[in-house]
Amino acid sequence: MSKSFKRLAATLLFSVPLISAAMSAEIEIQGERRTAAATTQESLATSNRKTGEAATFDWFEYRGEDPVFEKPVSSYQYRNPILAGYYPDPSIVQVGADYYLVNSSFAHFPGIPIFHSRDLVNWKQLGHVIDRPGQLDFSDLGISRGVFAPAISHYRDRFYLVSTCVDCGGNFVVTAKDPAGPWSDPVWLPDVGGIDPSLFFDDDGKAYIVNNDAPEGEPLYEGHRAIWVQAFDPEKLATFGPRKQIINGGVNIAEKPIWIEGPHLLRRNGQLYLTAAGGGTSVNHSQVIFRAESPFGPFTPAQYNPILTQRHLDPARPNPVTSVGHADFVQDSRGDWWAVFLGTRPYEGDFYNTGRETFLMPVQWQDGWPVITRGEQSIPYIAPRPAVPMSARPPLPTSGNFTLRDEFDQPQLPLHWLQLRNPAEKAWYDLQQVPGSLQLTPISHTLGDTANPAFLARRQQHQNALASTRLRFNPDRDTHAGMAVFQNREHFYFFGIGRDTRGNASIAVQRRDGGPERSGEIVASRLLDLPTNAPVDIELRIRARGPAYDFHYRLSGDQAGEGPWQPLLLSADGRVVSTRRAGGFVGALIGLYAYREDSPR
């Protein structure tokens, strides 16, 4: 659709009251496939049309500008991270020449992104495992609850995924014939406690679930956990038989190891191994390895554990990758072994806004034990790629610097767009009322609530990034619309427009840094040079610069994109939306937001 037609359509809509016909809150998975929730949302949108002004966004552009990604990569190399931004806790499975990878998604929706690759480097997102509101209920959850550490496996033409819905049901299993979906509704695993289940199919066809749980008896110290195993019936989708503790605390209980989690079983040359993360998810994170003759043990640790960590390296080294762990192993078509694992890229100390990302490294085998990093070895940003045929680059970039512009000219949002928790019954966004644009209807739920606010966003995948949009909106005294950078309900920035009681339009930056105001406090504002009660046509831009954000705007009109950008707030504290400041396990999202202030407190 041409930009001139978009402008004409939006201008015509400003001259009459809008009827928001919010469409599906679901995402197309593959081709023309649509989820059941998409149909439900469309019918709800049709039956719940609501008179009032919607905010119309003409486009949204995101550009990554990290200096560490500027060095070119040859055809014999790959770039880390392979999935930049908030893609933690990777799990991978090989099926023939194909590889499939999933990540944690916590209380974001759709949940559990699933990717496909044939070379372990170029990853195309197929869809989401949790793409229907009825599968899991994230209502009222903190954003770092919900889906923890999914683990994917394949057996006899069927895909299995086990995971934990923290504070929303516990451990579960879902299945699919096609990894792109649809995936089944969860089948709960009531006998499996704790978190981080992983399903292993042994060479004899028997299946087992290993997971993190409390140790037998009373914990001996803070962070004392254990790894348990139980047999699993893949037809009945249920565990059976006795549960057994197979790892107590970690490699050496006398040293009080903490937070052993994310276990996986695997075999190589007939030998059974168990690998798990330990040390907590921050800078002391690591990966350890054990082996045994049976899934029920006894397990013996490697003498040179951990097999992956960066905790002993100089924190002042340039461009550090830290907090590495939560690895999963896979063998490529040439027989070489690789590990995918999470890591972080802090801009200072332990501060990062991009969340925990997915990295790839080769696995070396020494004396029958796997090794990922040794000694002073650091995680490389560029390394020799797997010696398998190269796949085409995906349409949605997942690594390096790139520019991606969403024109909102398709029936569904692209797969990289997320919302908070389950979609509301009354859908608040629409892609058809103004063709080629996205409309958000301001609702009373805000970013500071534990509901489903009118917020659509994508991951911030770079320390240095530029996000911008064009917004047309005729606010009243209670409605606001614009952009937001969001980490959790107590840590976010809102950059947008509103109107005072005299009809004057204004632009403001609001910040919530743990304070009591659910919409945050105004840290910068300015009246716009517009007639009283006039519609606003404006471009907004947020620049991330590591620990700082800059907020610029320019009025659009007929000369859209040609006027100078006006600064409203420069060098705002970016640590407000860092994982370190906010807590939890996710990364920052940046996107589009509208809200109404007249909700009951």
Side-chain angles (χ1 to χ4, degrees), residues 419-501:
Q419 52 187 297
L420 308 182
R421 308 175 189 88
N422 298 73
E425 289 187 357
K426 293 184 178 180
W428 38 254
Y429 86 83
D430 173 54
L431 289 165
Q432 296 191 358
Q433 186 79 3
V434 180
S437 297
L438 168 70
Q439 286 195 315
L440 297 183
T441 298
I443 61 174
S444 59
H445 297 308
T446 73
L447 294 176
D449 298 327
T450 56
N452 175 239
F455 176 55
L456 289 170
R458 51 114 66 230
R459 293 163 175 84
Q460 181 181 327
Q461 295 178 272
H462 302 78
Q463 295 177 357
N464 302 277
L466 197 65
S468 56
T469 191
R470 185 174 183 180
L471 166 64
R472 297 177 180 85
F473 187 40
N474 194 5
D476 59 37
R477 58 176 293 181
D478 294 320
T479 56
H480 307 263
M483 300 177 68
V485 184
F486 178 88
Q487 174 74 220
N488 63 27
R489 63 185 294 263
E490 294 183 335
H491 295 85
F492 59 83
Y493 279 99
F494 168 64
F495 177 39
I497 60 174
R499 197 181 301 281
D500 64 21
T501 56

Side-chain angles (χ1 to χ4, degrees), residues 229-535:
V229 68
Q230 189 175 18
F232 177 80
D233 187 326
E235 296 300 323
K236 296 180 180 178
L237 300 180
T239 54
F240 66 93
R243 293 183 72 219
K244 183 179 179 182
Q245 176 179 287
I246 52 176
I247 303 293
N248 183 20
V251 171
N252 183 356
I253 189 66
E255 297 179 355
K256 298 184 178 181
I258 61 172
W259 305 122
I260 192 160
E261 59 190 5
H264 297 290
L265 290 169
L266 65 136
R267 279 198 185 272
R268 175 183 179 266
N269 297 336
Q271 177 64 62
L272 181 68
Y273 296 87
L274 184 146
T275 186
T281 60
S282 187
V283 293
N284 290 320
H285 207 200
S286 66
Q287 193 75 19
V288 294
I289 191 78
F290 309 79
R291 66 187 182 191
E293 298 303 317
S294 163
F296 290 95
F299 280 87
T300 302
Q303 292 184 353
Y304 47 77
N305 273 311
I307 60 170
L308 168 68
T309 192
Q310 302 281 272
R311 63 192 179 197
H312 60 295
L313 301 185
D314 183 359
R317 66 193 185 277
N319 301 313
V321 175
T322 70
S323 309
V324 297
H326 205 106
D328 198 5
F329 290 17
V330 71
Q331 192 173 20
D332 70 23
S333 58
R334 291 175 55 91
D336 296 324
W337 286 82
W338 296 83
V340 291
F341 55 91
L342 70 82
T344 65
R345 294 183 295 123
Y347 45 75
E348 62 178 45
D350 190 32
F351 288 95
Y352 53 90
N353 298 10
T354 45
R356 300 173 300 158
E357 307 173 289
T358 293
F359 291 77
L360 174 74
M361 280 191 69
V363 177
Q364 307 297 328
W365 293 87
Q366 299 178 4
D367 301 322
W369 292 99
V371 177
I372 304 171
T373 60
R374 300 297 292 153
E376 299 298 305
Q377 183 181 4
S378 61
I379 306 302
Y381 280 95
I382 296 177
R385 63 182 300 119
V388 297
M390 186 183 302
S391 298
R393 292 186 177 182
L396 177 65
T398 63
S399 186
N401 289 331
F402 56 83
T403 298
L404 187 65
R405 187 177 177 101
D406 290 300
E407 295 283 359
F408 304 124
D409 54 2
Q410 298 298 314
Q412 288 91 29
L413 286 169
L415 292 171
H416 56 280
W417 286 89
L418 298 172
Q419 52 187 297
L420 308 182
R421 308 175 189 88
N422 298 73
E425 289 187 357
K426 293 184 178 180
W428 38 254
Y429 86 83
D430 173 54
L431 289 165
Q432 296 191 358
Q433 186 79 3
V434 180
S437 297
L438 168 70
Q439 286 195 315
L440 297 183
T441 298
I443 61 174
S444 59
H445 297 308
T446 73
L447 294 176
D449 298 327
T450 56
N452 175 239
F455 176 55
L456 289 170
R458 51 114 66 230
R459 293 163 175 84
Q460 181 181 327
Q461 295 178 272
H462 302 78
Q463 295 177 357
N464 302 277
L466 197 65
S468 56
T469 191
R470 185 174 183 180
L471 166 64
R472 297 177 180 85
F473 187 40
N474 194 5
D476 59 37
R477 58 176 293 181
D478 294 320
T479 56
H480 307 263
M483 300 177 68
V485 184
F486 178 88
Q487 174 74 220
N488 63 27
R489 63 185 294 263
E490 294 183 335
H491 295 85
F492 59 83
Y493 279 99
F494 168 64
F495 177 39
I497 60 174
R499 197 181 301 281
D500 64 21
T501 56
R502 298 180 180 179
N504 299 309
S506 63
I507 186 166
V509 174
Q510 296 167 207
R511 177 185 66 205
R512 190 174 190 192
D513 186 15
E517 290 295 326
R518 64 177 191 150
S519 295
E521 61 175 338
I522 295 175
V523 292
S525 65
R526 184 177 301 162
L527 290 177
L528 296 173
D529 186 16
L530 292 171
T532 302
N533 294 317

Side-chain angles (χ1 to χ4, degrees), residues 57-111:
F57 297 90
D58 195 34
W59 45 262
F60 180 90
E61 184 173 287
Y62 176 90
R63 184 165 78 231
E65 301 176 333
D66 280 353
V68 75
F69 292 151
E70 291 177 356
K71 185 177 180 179
V73 175
S74 76
S75 60
Y76 301 100
Q77 298 173 314
Y78 73 94
R79 190 189 303 279
N80 266 323
I82 55 172
L83 298 181
Y86 150 56
Y87 290 105
D89 307 329
S91 173
I92 192 169
V93 66
Q94 178 190 18
V95 183
D98 299 289
Y99 307 92
Y100 301 95
L101 186 150
V102 294
N103 300 97
S104 294
S105 55
F106 300 94
H108 293 115
F109 186 90

Side-chain angles (χ1 to χ4, degrees), residues 5 9 50 83 184 197 328 335 395 458 482 494 518 558 568-569 595:
F5 184 85
K50 177 180 177 183
L83 298 181
S184 69
D328 198 5
R458 51 114 66 230
F494 168 64
R518 64 177 191 150
D558 294 333
L568 181 62
L569 178 63
Y595 74 98

